[in-house]
């Protein structure tokens, strides 16, 4: 696959909507065989669909025979046979219509059942993937596999699968009937088939170039719009509206020109196919009339051949068009299976024992996100039970990484992290994370009620416990002033709330979890000084008897910590209490002077 084509995959691609070029799977056969395993539970419906398609094709092929017989009966003056022939002709047409209806219903049901299982597998897999995988891959790309790629597969199953099978049967059935009527006229009809195939191949080759270019430009335009809308505050703050409108217009103009070329070539396919089809009618009519005059065939056969010539070429055109959709669907299936084959977070392990106090120890811990670029370097530290430990340091010093390693969002390269004397890798992830309450700087809320967001940490909490947690986090007052109080639905994941209010809800959620270990990662960074003081009082009560780890930039939030760890390039630069560190020259005192002595920060 070329670099140009790979770059196009990053954008929103949907051949059904855009008529784009064929995207092919690298391992086509393996993707197809694996996709077919999802059909196992639909065997009965698949067999029934096969029968319906075959019955519909048989009815469609037989109907022109009765038409031919009816015309010959009229020509011969055998009017007594006409009612019976017309009855069977009508029965064949009605059977065809009914079978096509059921084919559509069965294909849709088959498609949705298979895609539902495929999406469930994919969503379940995404939820078990390590955080390292999620961080390395574009969220939009993962969403595209769940939506666009799955839709491509669903479209092929619901429309292309039955159509492909029907097309092959129609070709075979029509060819047999045509040969039985007249071999010479059948061979003449095949000339138009050759012309159709050659024309389709030439046009498809020309279409590919422009459709690929159009999709790349469309992806660029989508990315530009998404980025600029997301960053609308920054755009307005720097008065860059005219500049981005100009950039948008330039890309939109290129897209328009390319789109016109692509659609012009694409739209020529239909008229050309109709022209070739009409040529087939001329050939059948001219040679059929000659054969009839010679007594080789009847007038009814000419009528049937006109229908069969169109019926013979139509499946070829459809199969040629379906080929691209099938290839794209297999490429989408391969992308989905790539995610399903990724290694999940480790399962199993023992449950964390129920203890009154928890001791955490880091022993010679080394870690790097990228090989040979160590972020944590020989980190050694012990957090005694019930102690409040603070981590401070410059951006990129490794503070948040320590939290990621403790939560096992990432696994260490070497060394040990011990919880109550045992390596945390011996515990199950669910058990380990269930005893930890964490409040991050970037608050995550769900588009649901405030009550749901708070009980996300403890769905068995009572009404009284919910309100107590909110009061403890200083959130109860503003919640009660909302239109529906705790039943207020947050739209846009809480976008209508201020950053401070969102963070208060996150703190209340952590309170409700009743964690044995509490982690606060810049938990008060988005609240004002007055609110921060109230939260500090609440946090002091919450942290009583718990092992706590606090990451902060503000000295005011960590002055009462039992011990402060100053991080620098992945290792400990200083450690001690606030009073001890402020008496020493070093990074902590520099940070203190920056914040409290009027120096620019």
């Amino acid at each position: 696959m070329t670099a140009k084509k790979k770059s196009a995959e990053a954008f929103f691609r949907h051949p059904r909507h855009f008529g784009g070029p064929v995207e092919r799977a690298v391992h086509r056969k393996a993707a197809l065989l694996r996709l077919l395993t999802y059909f196992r539970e639909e065997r009965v419906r698949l067999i029934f669909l096969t029968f319906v398609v075959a019955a519909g094709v048989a009815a469609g092929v037989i109907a022109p025979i009765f038409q031919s017989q009816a015309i010959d009966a009229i020509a011969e003056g055998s009017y007594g046979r006409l009612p019976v022939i017309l009855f069977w002709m009508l029965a064949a047409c009605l059977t065809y219509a009914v079978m096509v209806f059921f084919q559509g219903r069965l294909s849709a049901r088959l498609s949705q059942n298979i895609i539902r299982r495929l999406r469930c597998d994919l969503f379940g897999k995404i939820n078990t993937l390590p955080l390292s995988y999620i961080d390395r891959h574009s969220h939009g790309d993962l969403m595209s596999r769940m939506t666009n790629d799955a839709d491509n597969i669903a479209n092929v199953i619901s429309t292309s699968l039955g159509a492909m099978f029907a097309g092959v049967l129609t070709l075979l059935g029509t060819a047999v009937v045509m040969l039985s009527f007249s071999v010479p006229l059948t061979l003449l009809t095949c000339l138009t088939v050759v012309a159709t195939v050659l024309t389709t191949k030439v046009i498809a080759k020309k279409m590919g170039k422009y459709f690929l270019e159009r999709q790349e430009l469309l992806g660029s335009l989508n990315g530009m719009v998404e980025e600029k809308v997301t960053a609308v505050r920054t755009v307005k703050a720097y008065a860059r509206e005219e500049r981005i409108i100009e950039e948008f217009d330039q890309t939109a103009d290129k897209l328009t020109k390319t789109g016109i070329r692509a659609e012009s070539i694409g739209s020529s396919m239909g008229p050309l196919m109709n022209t070739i089809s009409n040529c087939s009618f001329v050939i059948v009519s001219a040679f059929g009339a000659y054969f009839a005059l010679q007594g080789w065939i009847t007038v009814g056969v000419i009528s049937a051949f006109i229908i069969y010539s169109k019926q013979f070429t139509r499946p070829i055109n459809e199969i040629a068009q379906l080929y691209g959709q099938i290839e794209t669907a297999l490429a989408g299936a391969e992308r989905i299976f790539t995610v399903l084959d990724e290694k999940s977070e480790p399962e199993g392990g023992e449950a964390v024992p129920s203890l009154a106090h928890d001791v955490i120890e880091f022993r010679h811990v080394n870690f790097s996100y990228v090989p040979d670029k160590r972020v944590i370097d020989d980190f050694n530290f012990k957090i005694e039970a019930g102690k409040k430990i603070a981590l401070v340091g410059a951006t990129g010093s490794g503070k948040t990484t320590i939290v990621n390693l403790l939560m096992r969002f990432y696994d260490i390269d070497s060394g040990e992290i011990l919880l109550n004397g045992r390596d945390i890798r011996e515990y199950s992830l669910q058990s380990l994370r269930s005893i930890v309450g964490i409040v991050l700087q970037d608050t995550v809320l769900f588009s649901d009620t405030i009550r749901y967001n708070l009980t996300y940490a403890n769905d068995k909490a009572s009404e009284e416990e919910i309100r107590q947690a909110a009061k403890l986090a200083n959130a109860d007052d503003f919640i009660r002033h909302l239109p529906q109080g705790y039943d207020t639905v947050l739209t846009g994941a809480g976008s209508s709330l201020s950053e401070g209010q969102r963070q208060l809800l996150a703190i209340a959620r952590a309170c409700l979890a009743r964690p044995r270990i509490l982690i606060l990662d810049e938990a008060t960074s988005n609240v004002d000084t007055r609110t921060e003081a109230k939260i500090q009082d609440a946090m002091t009560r919450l942290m009583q008897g718990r092992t706590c780890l606090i990451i902060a930039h503000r000295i005011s939030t960590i002055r009462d910590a039992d011990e402060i760890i100053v991080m620098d390039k992945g290792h400990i630069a200083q450690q001690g209490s606030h009073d001890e560190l402020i008496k020493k020259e070093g990074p902590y005192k520099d940070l203190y002077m920056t914040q409290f002595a009027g120096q620019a920060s």
Side-chain angles (χ1 to χ4, degrees):
M1 190 179 290
T2 64
K4 186 176 182 182
K5 192 162 187 178
K6 287 182 179 178
S7 66
E9 290 181 2
F11 305 128
F12 298 102
R13 306 184 61 179
H14 206 310
R16 181 176 56 181
H17 296 164
F18 306 131
V22 176
E23 183 181 358
R24 290 180 171 84
V26 177
H27 305 291
R28 192 181 315 167
K29 184 178 179 180
L32 176 60
L33 292 176
R34 187 165 179 180
L35 184 60
L36 290 176
T37 61
Y38 283 85
F39 286 78
R40 289 175 182 171
E41 295 184 21
E42 302 295 327
R43 287 190 294 266
V44 174
R45 186 171 284 109
L46 198 58
I47 292 172
F48 193 31
L49 176 62
T50 303
F51 169 76
V52 167
V53 171
V57 169
V61 171
I62 291 173
I65 296 177
F66 292 119
Q67 177 182 312
S68 171
Q69 291 176 353
I71 293 174
D72 287 341
I74 295 172
E76 296 170 0
S78 304
Y79 298 110
R81 297 169 45 211
L82 199 57
V84 176
I85 296 173
L86 292 177
F87 170 79
W88 287 111
M89 180 178 171
L90 179 62
C93 291
L94 289 176
T95 301
Y96 176 77
V98 171
M99 293 300 106
V100 169
F101 171 77
F102 279 109
Q103 177 184 331
R105 291 291 299 271
L106 287 169
S107 296
R109 181 64 64 86
L110 178 70
S111 168
Q112 292 308 311
N113 286 351
I114 290 174
I115 291 305
R116 178 182 59 82
R117 289 199 299 273
L118 190 61
R119 278 190 169 132
C120 285
D121 288 349
L122 180 59
F123 186 74
K125 182 66 179 187
I126 290 174
N127 279 279
T128 65
L129 289 173
L131 191 63
S132 57
Y133 180 90
I134 304 297
D135 287 343
R136 288 196 312 268
H137 293 78
S138 164
H139 295 179
D141 180 63
L142 289 175
M143 287 299 298
S144 179
R145 297 178 196 228
M146 179 71 75
T147 54
N148 289 350
D149 291 335
D151 281 345
N152 286 340
I153 298 171
N155 182 51
V156 165
I157 296 174
S158 63
T159 60
S160 304
L161 185 65
M164 178 75 79
F165 183 48
V168 173
L169 290 182
T170 301
L171 276 174
L172 295 175
T174 303
V176 169
V177 175
M178 290 171 67
L179 288 170
S180 67
F181 278 147
S182 172
V183 174
L185 206 54
T186 301
L187 296 177
L188 288 170
T189 303
C190 288
L191 292 176
T192 59
V193 174
V194 176
T196 298
V197 172
L198 292 177
T199 304
T200 302
K201 185 175 181 181
V202 171
I203 294 178
K205 185 176 181 181
K206 290 184 177 295
M207 285 170 59
K209 173 186 175 183
Y210 291 112
F211 275 118
L212 180 57
E213 185 178 348
R214 187 180 74 167
Q215 286 188 251
E216 290 177 341
L217 289 170
L218 182 63
S220 297
L221 201 67
N222 287 338
M224 182 187 299
V225 172
E226 181 183 5
E227 183 181 71
K228 296 305 186 289
V229 170
T230 304
V232 64
R233 293 180 184 273
T234 304
V235 172
K236 290 183 178 295
Y238 287 94
R240 304 289 286 183
E241 293 91 340
E242 292 185 5
R243 174 68 178 274
I244 65 170
I245 290 173
E246 182 182 344
E247 292 175 357
F248 179 89
D249 288 343
Q250 290 176 354
T251 306
D253 288 343
K254 291 180 182 178
L255 178 61
T256 301
K257 293 176 182 178
T258 305
I260 291 173
R261 294 192 188 100
E263 292 297 340
S264 297
I265 296 175
S267 61
S268 67
M269 177 74 80
L272 283 173
M273 293 300 104
N274 287 333
T275 301
I276 294 173
S277 179
N278 292 335
C279 289
S280 175
F281 295 159
V282 173
I283 292 173
V284 170
S285 300
F287 284 91
Y290 175 75
F291 293 160
L293 290 174
Q294 297 298 319
W296 299 341
I297 60 175
T298 64
V299 176
V301 170
I302 299 174
S303 172
F305 250 93
I306 290 175
I307 297 174
Y308 282 132
S309 64
K310 186 174 183 179
Q311 194 168 282
F312 190 68
T313 56
R314 188 184 68 244
I316 296 175
N317 295 334
E318 290 178 350
I319 291 172
Q321 294 172 9
L322 293 177
Y323 173 77
Q325 293 183 17
I326 293 172
E327 285 286 358
T328 303
L330 289 177
E334 187 175 58
R335 280 162 47 81
I336 291 175
F337 295 145
T338 298
V339 177
L340 292 178
D341 290 337
E342 286 293 331
K343 188 177 180 180
S344 299
E345 287 186 313
E347 297 180 359
E350 300 179 16
V352 177
S354 299
L355 300 175
H357 303 286
D358 294 291
V359 179
I360 303 169
E361 184 176 3
F362 294 82
R363 290 182 181 175
H364 304 290
V365 172
N366 295 295
F367 174 74
S368 56
Y369 292 105
V370 180
D372 301 325
K373 291 186 178 180
R374 190 166 289 181
V375 178
I376 301 298
D377 185 19
D378 196 28
F379 186 81
N380 293 276
F381 187 71
K382 187 174 184 179
I383 305 174
E384 297 291 346
K387 296 295 183 180
K388 182 166 67 172
I389 305 300
L391 292 177
V392 298
T395 301
S397 59
K399 305 183 299 298
T400 300
T401 300
I402 292 296
V403 173
N404 288 337
L405 298 179
L406 179 60
M407 294 290 291
R408 286 197 69 191
F409 293 147
Y410 292 84
D411 278 329
I412 59 178
D413 296 338
S414 62
E416 291 179 305
I417 301 178
L418 306 177
L419 175 62
N420 302 323
R422 296 186 64 180
D423 195 313
I424 60 173
R425 287 172 289 193
E426 297 180 14
Y427 299 124
S428 70
L429 290 174
Q430 184 177 5
S431 176
L432 173 66
R433 292 168 183 171
S434 67
I435 67 168
V436 180
I438 184 168
V439 180
L440 301 173
Q441 180 179 3
D442 297 324
T443 305
V444 176
L445 298 175
F446 301 97
S447 296
D448 209 305
T449 63
I450 289 179
R451 188 187 311 279
Y452 172 85
N453 277 279
L454 296 183
T455 57
Y456 196 79
N458 180 7
D459 55 7
K460 298 180 180 179
S462 66
E463 185 69 21
E464 181 61 25
E465 289 173 327
I466 295 172
R467 293 185 181 276
Q468 286 298 325
K471 289 177 180 178
L472 192 63
N474 201 41
D476 180 68
D477 185 60
F478 88 80
I479 292 174
R480 286 190 291 105
H481 283 83
L482 293 173
Q484 284 81 39
Y486 285 82
D487 293 316
T488 300
V489 176
L490 300 179
T491 57
S495 59
S496 58
L497 301 177
S498 68
E499 286 293 334
Q501 290 172 328
R502 288 162 53 85
Q503 206 153 44
L504 290 175
L505 291 179
I507 293 171
R509 182 166 56 194
C511 294
L512 201 59
R514 297 178 180 177
R516 288 160 48 180
I517 299 172
L518 186 63
I519 298 175
L520 305 174
D521 188 352
E522 295 289 348
T524 60
S525 62
N526 292 324
V527 296
D528 57 79
T529 306
R530 182 179 177 183
T531 305
E532 180 186 2
K534 294 180 179 180
I535 292 176
Q536 285 299 324
D537 293 336
M539 288 296 106
T540 300
R541 294 193 297 271
L542 178 64
M543 289 186 289
Q544 289 295 328
R546 290 185 171 90
T547 304
C548 303
L549 188 60
I550 306 170
I551 297 175
H553 284 103
R554 295 182 187 175
I555 298 296
S556 59
T557 62
I558 60 172
R559 292 183 65 165
D560 61 341
D562 295 307
E563 191 160 10
I564 299 172
I565 306 298
V566 183
M567 300 282 295
D568 180 36
K569 297 181 180 179
H571 64 272
I572 299 175
Q574 284 184 300
Q575 66 184 86
S577 67
H578 171 77
D579 293 334
E580 292 171 348
L581 294 175
I582 206 67
K583 296 176 183 178
K584 303 176 183 178
E585 295 295 330
Y588 185 81
K589 186 175 181 179
D590 294 340
L591 181 62
Y592 178 84
M593 295 301 294
T594 298
Q595 295 187 17
F596 292 99
Q599 297 183 20
S601 58

